[in-house]
Amino acid sequence: MSTQDTEDIELPESLSYHDWAAAVREDRLLGQECGDCGHVSGVPSGACQECGGRDLTTVELPTTGEVYSETTINVPPEQFEERGYQVAVVDLGDARVMVRIEGDHVDIGGDVVLSGHIDTDDDHPAPTFEPAE
Ligand SMILES: [Zn+2]
């Protein structure tokens, strides 16, 4: 795997959901780092989830991480063809992000890598991860 250079996309100073979603569609993950307490969030927010600070800087998150917790979502078969899917809270650098898992089941502590994204019906993209080799 090669290190990701910062490409020609500028990081927005203030991360909106639109910016975050656009990045997900390009298989990039953006987050926000708090200038007050250093907390890094993996979802756009108007204020730090830890301290409420508003001195937030947009940062690019790593696309590999480690599973912090996982669970399997079972969906009603009449609405979805899939039986169920696994979601995991993944540590990406300093951020902790909930993602959907594709492919093999992952366990807590396992290494995962960004595999792409899915677009849900309501036009909300979600990053997907798979077990790292
Ligand atoms: Zn903070």
Side-chain angles (χ1 to χ4, degrees):
M1 185 179 318
S2 61
T3 49
Q4 262 191 338
D5 293 326
T6 305
E7 295 166 26
D8 52 352
I9 302 168
E10 293 177 37
L11 295 181
E13 196 169 318
S14 174
L15 183 63
S16 68
Y17 178 80
H18 177 83
D19 295 326
W20 180 88
V24 168
R25 291 197 173 94
E26 293 167 354
D27 296 330
R28 294 153 53 95
L29 295 173
L30 299 183
Q32 292 174 305
E33 182 170 357
C34 175
D36 292 330
C37 75
H39 176 75
V40 180
S41 168
V43 291
S45 172
C48 174
Q49 296 164 346
E50 283 293 313
C51 73
R54 293 180 176 275
D55 179 19
L56 303 176
T57 303
T58 302
V59 294
E60 182 145 10
L61 301 178
T63 54
T64 58
E66 184 179 312
V67 176
Y68 172 75
S69 69
E70 56 80 23
T71 188
T72 298
I73 308 292
N74 290 303
V75 293
E78 60 271 21
Q79 281 181 281
F80 298 89
E81 290 183 10
E82 302 166 77
R83 271 208 321 271
Y85 58 91
Q86 190 182 19
V87 295
V89 177
V90 177
D91 285 329
L92 300 173
D94 294 324
R96 188 161 279 173
V97 184
M98 179 172 283
V99 303
R100 182 161 166 163
I101 301 297
E102 287 187 322
D104 293 336
H105 186 91
V106 298
D107 295 313
I108 291 171
D111 293 325
V112 289
V113 59
L114 182 71
S115 61
H117 68 277
I118 53 167
D119 272 303
T120 55
D121 291 342
D122 52 0
D123 202 34
H124 286 59
T128 57
F129 278 69
E130 63 186 8
E133 293 303 326

Short mmCIF file of all heavy atoms in Angstrom, two decimals, residues 34-39 48-53 56, ligand 1:
data_model
loop_
_atom_site.label_atom_id
_atom_site.label_comp_id
_atom_site.label_asym_id
_atom_site.label_seq_id
_atom_site.Cartn_x
_atom_site.Cartn_y
_atom_site.Cartn_z
N CYS A 34 -10.25 18.88 17.06
CA CYS A 34 -10.57 19.99 17.94
C CYS A 34 -9.29 20.70 18.37
O CYS A 34 -8.34 20.06 18.84
CB CYS A 34 -11.31 19.47 19.17
SG CYS A 34 -11.64 20.74 20.40
N GLY A 35 -9.28 22.01 18.19
CA GLY A 35 -8.12 22.79 18.59
C GLY A 35 -8.02 22.98 20.08
O GLY A 35 -6.97 23.37 20.60
N ASP A 36 -9.09 22.73 20.78
CA ASP A 36 -9.09 22.93 22.23
C ASP A 36 -8.62 21.70 22.99
O ASP A 36 -7.80 21.78 23.89
CB ASP A 36 -10.49 23.33 22.71
CG ASP A 36 -10.88 24.71 22.21
OD1 ASP A 36 -9.98 25.54 22.04
OD2 ASP A 36 -12.08 24.94 21.99
N CYS A 37 -9.17 20.53 22.62
CA CYS A 37 -8.83 19.33 23.40
C CYS A 37 -8.14 18.25 22.58
O CYS A 37 -7.70 17.24 23.11
CB CYS A 37 -10.09 18.76 24.07
SG CYS A 37 -11.19 17.89 22.92
N GLY A 38 -8.06 18.44 21.25
CA GLY A 38 -7.36 17.47 20.43
C GLY A 38 -8.19 16.29 19.99
O GLY A 38 -7.71 15.41 19.29
N HIS A 39 -9.46 16.25 20.39
CA HIS A 39 -10.33 15.15 19.99
C HIS A 39 -10.52 15.16 18.47
O HIS A 39 -10.70 16.21 17.88
CB HIS A 39 -11.68 15.27 20.68
CG HIS A 39 -12.68 14.24 20.27
ND1 HIS A 39 -12.60 12.93 20.70
CD2 HIS A 39 -13.75 14.30 19.45
CE1 HIS A 39 -13.60 12.25 20.17
NE2 HIS A 39 -14.32 13.06 19.40
N CYS A 48 -17.13 20.30 18.94
CA CYS A 48 -16.43 19.12 19.42
C CYS A 48 -17.35 18.26 20.28
O CYS A 48 -18.04 18.76 21.16
CB CYS A 48 -15.20 19.54 20.21
SG CYS A 48 -14.33 18.17 20.99
N GLN A 49 -17.34 16.95 20.01
CA GLN A 49 -18.20 16.04 20.78
C GLN A 49 -17.67 15.85 22.20
O GLN A 49 -18.40 15.42 23.08
CB GLN A 49 -18.26 14.68 20.08
CG GLN A 49 -18.93 14.78 18.71
CD GLN A 49 -18.67 13.54 17.85
OE1 GLN A 49 -17.81 12.74 18.16
NE2 GLN A 49 -19.42 13.42 16.78
N GLU A 50 -16.42 16.16 22.40
CA GLU A 50 -15.82 15.95 23.72
C GLU A 50 -15.98 17.18 24.62
O GLU A 50 -16.39 17.07 25.75
CB GLU A 50 -14.33 15.63 23.57
CG GLU A 50 -14.06 14.21 23.13
CD GLU A 50 -14.45 13.18 24.18
OE1 GLU A 50 -14.09 13.36 25.37
OE2 GLU A 50 -15.14 12.22 23.82
N CYS A 51 -15.61 18.33 24.08
CA CYS A 51 -15.56 19.51 24.94
C CYS A 51 -16.48 20.63 24.47
O CYS A 51 -16.58 21.66 25.13
CB CYS A 51 -14.11 20.03 25.05
SG CYS A 51 -13.52 20.86 23.55
N GLY A 52 -17.13 20.45 23.32
CA GLY A 52 -18.03 21.48 22.84
C GLY A 52 -17.32 22.62 22.14
O GLY A 52 -17.96 23.58 21.72
N GLY A 53 -16.00 22.53 22.02
CA GLY A 53 -15.24 23.58 21.37
C GLY A 53 -15.59 23.71 19.90
O GLY A 53 -16.00 22.74 19.26
N LEU A 56 -12.52 23.84 15.19
CA LEU A 56 -12.38 22.54 14.53
C LEU A 56 -11.64 22.68 13.20
O LEU A 56 -11.94 23.57 12.41
CB LEU A 56 -13.76 21.93 14.29
CG LEU A 56 -14.62 21.73 15.54
CD1 LEU A 56 -16.00 21.22 15.15
CD2 LEU A 56 -13.96 20.78 16.53
ZN ZN B 1 -12.66 19.38 22.02
#
